[in-house]
Amino acid sequence: MPTRPSETPVVIASNRGPVSYRSEGDDLVEVRGGGGLVAGLQPLLDTGRATWIAAALSEDDRSAVARGLPGPSGPVHLLDVGTGDLERYYDVVSNEVLWFLHHGLFDGAHSPTYDDDWRESWQAYRRVNRAFAHAVCEHSPERAVVLVQDYHLTLLAPWVTTQRPDLRLVHFHHTPFAGPSEVRSLEPTALQEILSGLAAHHACGFHTPRWEGNFLRCVDDRSLPAPRTFSSTLSSDLGAIREVAASAACAAALARLDEQVGDRFVIARVDRMELSKNVVRGFESYDRLLRIRPDLRGRVVFVAHCYPSRLGVPAYRAYRDLVVETVDQVNERWGDAGWTPILLELDDDFTSSVATYRRYDALLVNPVRDGLNLVAKEGPAVNERHGQVVLSTEAGVCGELAGAADEVNPFDLVATSDALAAVIDRSTEERRARSEQLRRDAEARTPEDWLADQLRAAE
Amino acid sequence: MPTRPSETPVVIASNRGPVSYRSEGDDLVEVRGGGGLVAGLQPLLDTGRATWIAAALSEDDRSAVARGLPGPSGPVHLLDVGTGDLERYYDVVSNEVLWFLHHGLFDGAHSPTYDDDWRESWQAYRRVNRAFAHAVCEHSPERAVVLVQDYHLTLLAPWVTTQRPDLRLVHFHHTPFAGPSEVRSLEPTALQEILSGLAAHHACGFHTPRWEGNFLRCVDDRSLPAPRTFSSTLSSDLGAIREVAASAACAAALARLDEQVGDRFVIARVDRMELSKNVVRGFESYDRLLRIRPDLRGRVVFVAHCYPSRLGVPAYRAYRDLVVETVDQVNERWGDAGWTPILLELDDDFTSSVATYRRYDALLVNPVRDGLNLVAKEGPAVNERHGQVVLSTEAGVCGELAGAADEVNPFDLVATSDALAAVIDRSTEERRARSEQLRRDAEARTPEDWLADQLRAAE
């Protein structure tokens, strides 16, 4: 008799795992990870149904692996793939090429460029994927469902299915998927291996039909057999965010924020300082708003949490500098002794971000392209001010918040500042109605729904 | 009785026309234009079957229009749309946005950006297109076929067909057409008007099925009614180029070139200094060739004709500087008193380019994306050295030269330099066979074939 789906063992393979390690003196302390992915999969771990394979990402993680942690009988296995391969697989192939490719960040004339060093990096990516494949084969119970996560791990399926035809592999891609014209800027061997690697899964999932359609067109262009595909959106663990919102630390952070902003209209953003997040155009749109609407000067304030990200990559350092420069210009142009138009927060402090979620009147989420974007769901879930959401049409979450959010083309400064003006001028009644709809839409799906969609796709 | 197709009057609308003007003292001298478009359409002009409407592009052109030139009863009409509108329609909308869009030259994080100034430029583009539409309505004989050329003139059809339902409009797009993911970086109003403007033609033509497919997917994504589409490649007027090749001036240029290069293996390129032409990666690939193949140092020379282009656009000036800097680095790294590895020619001198066509042993045509690329046909047609062609897979001409050219991914320095090495190492016999095939493929189609395809599409 076949195993019932609800009892099928599950193996998860992802770059970042549910635990990591931090050294304290001679000890290594286990740190639990957060985010929607862990929230969605944690119940499987807690009930002993799941095994999780992830990369040892830090020096402390590697020390843990060397000491036999997290322990061979536990549900989590960290792979130490070596620092050289890790850097090439993660920084070069995954973050500098595949991330740029899927987010449309190459300019053609100058990037990408594939040289001999790229070829070494690609071989490292293959080796790391193969190490994951070996670990999956080794740790997977009979007839398990293997949930492979994201663009770091695209090559497992052909190797695993040869060794372990009893397993059923589902891939979930958390970023956008580039269109058929765009993927042609990937080095051809890598492109062919990635597409056929993905196509070798039993099913491939994406956040939205748009990314799913792009993938299918790419597969079709190369006459590869298409796997089953599905789209399913992730959510944050909103319960955990509500707990933070209700904490004393968050109340203190909110009190500090209130002291800074007073009763001004608060426009907010919460992002990594990431090329795809479109931070600069956000400030340029705000600059235009202050120019065309003198009545708003002194009455609004832009609270921007922009956490440092990938500062080892020159393009990211340059982008951070451009962001800071733009903020300085706007503050100098319009600010005065009693009013700083933009409050830029560069420290990664989740409690303080949640305080801003509670306080904003308008949340600006304007990525040039985004697989989904969880900020646009987290804000409405804990906001206390009938806050509105100005949202890029290029964020995957756009479909879920359609009708309630104010949609803008992220390249369009005029549309973005006009949308901010419209939100400011909106009646309290309409704001309330929209914010309630935003909250309902944001809460409509849970991380468990997303997990269930993956398991269903494996059937 | 319906007019026979061969007798149907034809009206051509294009940005650049078959004649322009140059002042000499108080006189304005008429200059005949060149290129495949004019070559294809000239017979229609000569037999009095065609009317041609184009923009007055220079100060001298505008002076000519003011003096009533080329004359109201002649077949050519130049439109003076005013310098302000001309600059916005041509430089801003056509060259800085649509060209970049269709060639994949935006980087997302920094470009494109649409501000208030863009909106003024877009209105100028609409006004110029409307001026063309009026001129088409005014100058078109009853039941004429109107051949509308290229991305500058996408909005005529809805206006013209309302006023003159007797006319049949065919659009031909000479650049690549961006994919559905890529066009989303165009400002939404402009995108909608362009796609519905193109879709309002009786038929839309492209150089290759790839651009045709991209257009159809974009139209389909917006549920617009798809027009008839076709693909048809253009050719240069090879007869005219052979005449130049046979001229005394070309013989003199070739003698000068021979003096510089001696009996070395000549790699050549002939391009505008254009972001899409991928000049820098070409030199970087050559740099790698000299690094991995010490035996080739002193034995090869790269003759590069890179004509200045759009130097009013900052990105083009920066690109020219990068090209020159790269050439200097390569020459300094590998050159010596008796050998300069790269001979960079910045003057636009067609006779000297044709001399290089005659002399090259390998022609490098490596655009990051190109609607067609006529250089890859012109070279083989007059080459005298069994020259090979190293050709980007992203050039529209690639399909026509498949099998005979050496195809490379243009972003891949390793593949490009390996292809150059393979060509150098190739036996004379195989070089001869390939060069003969290249010549046959290059000569397979004429400008007249391309014209005939457009007229057939109008039926």
Side-chain angles (χ1 to χ4, degrees):
Chain A
M1 203 176 83
T3 317
R4 285 217 320 268
S6 64
E7 292 166 356
T8 309
V10 175
V11 176
I12 300 150
S14 68
N15 174 63
R16 189 176 298 276
V19 299
S20 59
Y21 290 87
R22 193 180 62 228
S23 66
E24 292 191 355
D26 284 349
D27 289 339
L28 285 166
V29 179
E30 188 176 297
V31 183
R32 305 297 289 261
L37 198 147
V38 173
L41 302 170
Q42 191 67 45
L44 291 178
L45 275 185
D46 295 341
T47 58
R49 190 176 159 199
T51 304
W52 197 317
I53 298 161
L57 293 173
S58 67
E59 200 50 52
D60 289 338
D61 284 356
R62 280 188 291 276
S63 301
V65 173
R67 292 189 202 176
L69 295 172
S73 61
V76 178
H77 303 274
L78 293 188
L79 301 184
D80 180 358
V81 297
T83 51
D85 274 8
L86 182 73
E87 192 188 322
R88 287 181 177 280
Y89 137 88
Y90 184 64
D91 292 334
V92 180
V93 177
S94 299
N95 289 344
E96 289 179 36
V97 173
L98 299 181
W99 179 272
F100 273 61
L101 180 79
H102 289 307
H103 287 85
L105 298 174
F106 288 132
D107 78 340
H110 307 88
S111 65
T113 292
Y114 303 104
D115 55 12
D116 292 283
D117 194 65
W118 155 263
R119 279 167 166 68
E120 286 189 37
S121 296
W122 177 247
Q123 291 309 321
Y125 181 91
R126 298 178 89 245
R127 280 192 296 273
V128 172
N129 270 258
R130 193 177 272 266
F132 267 89
H134 283 156
V136 165
C137 290
E138 183 184 348
H139 296 295
S140 292
E142 186 76 16
R143 311 186 66 167
V145 168
V146 184
L147 304 181
V148 186
Q149 303 297 311
D150 227 357
Y151 62 103
H152 316 84
L153 301 176
T154 57
L155 307 181
L156 273 61
W159 291 320
V160 170
T161 50
T162 306
Q163 299 296 314
R164 291 289 305 271
D166 61 302
L167 302 177
R168 197 156 266 200
L169 275 73
V170 176
H171 194 280
F172 197 89
H173 214 279
H174 291 261
T175 69
F177 205 90
S181 267
E182 296 169 310
V183 296
R184 298 177 70 106
S185 61
L186 184 55
E187 190 273 309
T189 311
L191 176 60
Q192 183 67 27
E193 285 196 57
I194 286 175
L195 289 176
S196 53
L198 289 171
H201 290 78
H202 180 73
C204 289
F206 302 86
H207 280 309
T208 74
R210 188 174 149 205
W211 316 137
E212 182 187 359
N214 280 352
F215 169 69
L216 285 172
R217 285 168 172 180
C218 291
V219 163
D220 185 56
D221 273 2
R222 277 152 199 83
S223 308
L224 291 166
R228 178 191 296 197
T229 59
F230 64 102
S231 67
S232 170
T233 64
L234 185 58
S235 279
S236 297
D237 181 354
L238 297 180
I241 292 170
R242 281 192 206 97
E243 272 178 38
V244 174
S247 70
C250 191
L254 182 55
R256 285 193 299 276
L257 180 62
D258 277 334
E259 214 167 290
Q260 288 183 286
V261 302
D263 61 355
R264 291 187 178 93
F265 187 97
V266 171
I267 298 167
R269 73 176 309 137
V270 177
D271 286 302
R272 289 188 300 116
M273 191 88 83
E274 157 58 51
L275 296 179
S276 66
K277 297 297 184 184
N278 205 20
V279 181
V280 172
R281 288 196 194 84
F283 292 139
E284 288 172 343
S285 301
Y286 180 63
D287 183 60
R288 178 180 183 273
L289 179 70
L290 297 176
R291 191 173 68 247
I292 62 169
R293 287 285 299 267
D295 60 305
L296 296 179
R297 295 175 202 157
R299 284 182 49 215
V300 297
V301 60
F302 196 143
V303 178
H305 296 262
C306 299
Y307 306 133
S309 179
R310 299 182 192 169
L311 291 179
V313 181
Y316 282 73
R317 284 200 302 276
Y319 194 71
R320 178 203 53 192
D321 293 347
L322 184 60
V323 166
V324 171
E325 189 186 312
T326 307
V327 169
D328 288 347
Q329 283 169 356
V330 173
N331 283 343
E332 190 162 322
R333 186 173 300 132
W334 306 113
D336 56 36
W339 172 56
T340 305
I342 302 174
L343 303 174
L344 178 62
E345 180 55 70
L346 297 173
D347 288 337
D348 186 351
D349 177 348
F350 189 63
T351 306
S352 144
S353 301
V354 174
T356 299
Y357 282 162
R358 293 173 61 189
R359 175 60 182 82
Y360 73 75
D361 299 289
L363 182 65
L364 178 61
V365 180
N366 66 328
V368 296
R369 199 181 290 175
D370 209 329
L372 184 66
N373 196 295
L374 290 172
V375 167
K377 294 188 182 185
E378 292 174 0
V382 296
N383 179 263
E384 298 166 2
R385 302 267 302 187
H386 306 317
Q388 310 292 289
V389 175
V390 174
L391 182 61
S392 167
T393 54
E394 307 309 298
V397 74
C398 201
E400 289 177 278
L401 304 182
D406 292 82
E407 295 180 14
V408 295
N409 178 285
F411 306 101
D412 191 346
L413 308 186
V414 176
T416 305
S417 61
D418 285 353
L420 289 171
V423 160
I424 293 171
D425 296 338
R426 187 165 282 163
S427 71
T428 310
E429 193 181 350
E430 191 185 344
R431 278 194 221 173
R432 178 181 295 120
R434 280 192 183 243
S435 70
E436 282 168 8
Q437 186 61 48
L438 284 165
R439 184 186 308 258
R440 279 194 299 274
D441 292 342
E443 291 172 344
R445 283 180 55 90
T446 66
E448 292 75 20
D449 294 332
W450 170 75
L451 171 61
D453 285 341
Q454 284 179 90
L455 295 177
R456 201 171 300 120
E459 284 170 15
Chain B
M1 203 177 82
T3 318
R4 285 219 319 270
S6 64
E7 293 167 355
T8 309
V10 175
V11 177
I12 300 149
S14 69
N15 174 62
R16 189 175 299 275
V19 299
S20 59
Y21 290 87
R22 192 180 63 227
S23 66
E24 291 192 356
D26 283 349
D27 289 339
L28 285 166
V29 179
E30 188 176 297
V31 184
R32 303 297 289 261
L37 197 147
V38 172
L41 302 170
Q42 191 68 45
L44 292 178
L45 276 185
D46 294 341
T47 58
R49 188 176 160 199
T51 304
W52 197 318
I53 298 161
L57 293 173
S58 67
E59 200 50 51
D60 289 339
D61 285 356
R62 281 187 291 276
S63 301
V65 173
R67 291 189 203 176
L69 294 172
S73 61
V76 178
H77 303 274
L78 292 187
L79 301 183
D80 180 357
V81 299
T83 50
D85 274 8
L86 182 72
E87 193 189 320
R88 288 182 176 278
Y89 138 87
Y90 183 64
D91 293 334
V92 180
V93 177
S94 299
N95 288 344
E96 290 179 36
V97 173
L98 298 181
W99 179 272
F100 273 60
L101 180 79
H102 289 307
H103 287 85
L105 298 173
F106 288 132
D107 78 340
H110 308 89
S111 65
T113 293
Y114 303 105
D115 55 12
D116 292 284
D117 194 65
W118 155 263
R119 277 166 166 69
E120 285 188 39
S121 295
W122 177 248
Q123 292 309 321
Y125 182 91
R126 298 179 87 245
R127 280 192 295 274
V128 172
N129 270 258
R130 193 178 273 266
F132 268 88
H134 284 156
V136 166
C137 291
E138 183 184 348
H139 296 294
S140 292
E142 188 77 15
R143 309 186 66 166
V145 168
V146 184
L147 304 181
V148 186
Q149 303 296 311
D150 226 357
Y151 62 103
H152 317 84
L153 302 176
T154 57
L155 308 181
L156 272 60
W159 292 320
V160 170
T161 49
T162 306
Q163 299 296 313
R164 291 287 307 271
D166 61 301
L167 303 177
R168 196 157 266 199
L169 275 71
V170 176
H171 194 279
F172 196 89
H173 215 278
H174 291 261
T175 70
F177 205 90
S181 268
E182 297 169 310
V183 297
R184 298 178 69 106
S185 60
L186 185 54
E187 190 271 309
T189 310
L191 177 60
Q192 182 68 26
E193 285 195 57
I194 286 175
L195 289 175
S196 53
L198 290 171
H201 290 79
H202 180 71
C204 288
F206 303 86
H207 280 309
T208 74
R210 188 174 149 206
W211 316 137
E212 182 187 359
N214 280 352
F215 169 69
L216 284 172
R217 284 168 172 180
C218 291
V219 163
D220 185 57
D221 273 1
R222 277 153 199 82
S223 307
L224 291 166
R228 179 190 297 195
T229 60
F230 64 103
S231 67
S232 169
T233 65
L234 186 57
S235 280
S236 297
D237 180 355
L238 297 180
I241 293 171
R242 281 192 206 97
E243 273 178 39
V244 174
S247 70
C250 190
L254 182 55
R256 284 193 300 276
L257 180 62
D258 277 334
E259 213 167 293
Q260 287 183 286
V261 303
D263 62 355
R264 292 188 178 92
F265 187 97
V266 171
I267 299 168
R269 74 176 307 139
V270 178
D271 286 302
R272 289 188 299 116
M273 190 87 84
E274 157 58 51
L275 297 179
S276 67
K277 297 297 184 185
N278 206 20
V279 181
V280 172
R281 287 195 195 84
F283 292 139
E284 288 172 343
S285 301
Y286 180 63
D287 182 61
R288 179 180 181 272
L289 179 70
L290 297 176
R291 191 173 67 247
I292 62 169
R293 288 285 299 266
D295 62 304
L296 295 180
R297 295 175 202 158
R299 285 182 48 216
V300 296
V301 61
F302 197 143
V303 179
H305 296 262
C306 300
Y307 306 132
S309 180
R310 299 180 190 169
L311 291 179
V313 181
Y316 281 72
R317 284 200 302 277
Y319 194 71
R320 179 204 52 195
D321 293 348
L322 183 61
V323 166
V324 171
E325 189 186 313
T326 307
V327 169
D328 288 346
Q329 283 169 357
V330 173
N331 283 343
E332 189 162 324
R333 186 173 298 132
W334 307 112
D336 56 34
W339 172 57
T340 305
I342 302 174
L343 303 174
L344 178 63
E345 180 54 70
L346 297 174
D347 287 338
D348 186 350
D349 176 348
F350 189 62
T351 306
S352 145
S353 301
V354 174
T356 299
Y357 282 161
R358 293 173 60 189
R359 174 61 183 82
Y360 73 74
D361 299 289
L363 182 65
L364 178 60
V365 181
N366 66 329
V368 296
R369 198 182 290 176
D370 209 328
L372 183 67
N373 196 295
L374 290 172
V375 167
K377 294 188 183 186
E378 293 173 0
V382 296
N383 181 262
E384 297 165 2
R385 302 268 301 186
H386 307 316
Q388 310 292 288
V389 175
V390 174
L391 182 60
S392 166
T393 54
E394 307 310 297
V397 75
C398 201
E400 287 178 279
L401 303 182
D406 292 82
E407 296 180 11
V408 293
N409 178 286
F411 306 101
D412 191 345
L413 308 186
V414 176
T416 305
S417 62
D418 286 354
L420 290 171
V423 160
I424 293 170
D425 296 338
R426 188 165 283 162
S427 72
T428 310
E429 192 180 352
E430 191 184 344
R431 277 194 222 174
R432 179 182 295 118
R434 280 191 183 242
S435 70
E436 282 167 8
Q437 186 62 47
L438 284 165
R439 184 187 308 259
R440 281 194 296 275
D441 293 342
E443 291 172 345
R445 282 178 57 87
T446 65
E448 292 75 21
D449 293 333
W450 170 75
L451 171 61
D453 285 341
Q454 285 179 89
L455 294 177
R456 201 170 301 120
E459 283 169 17

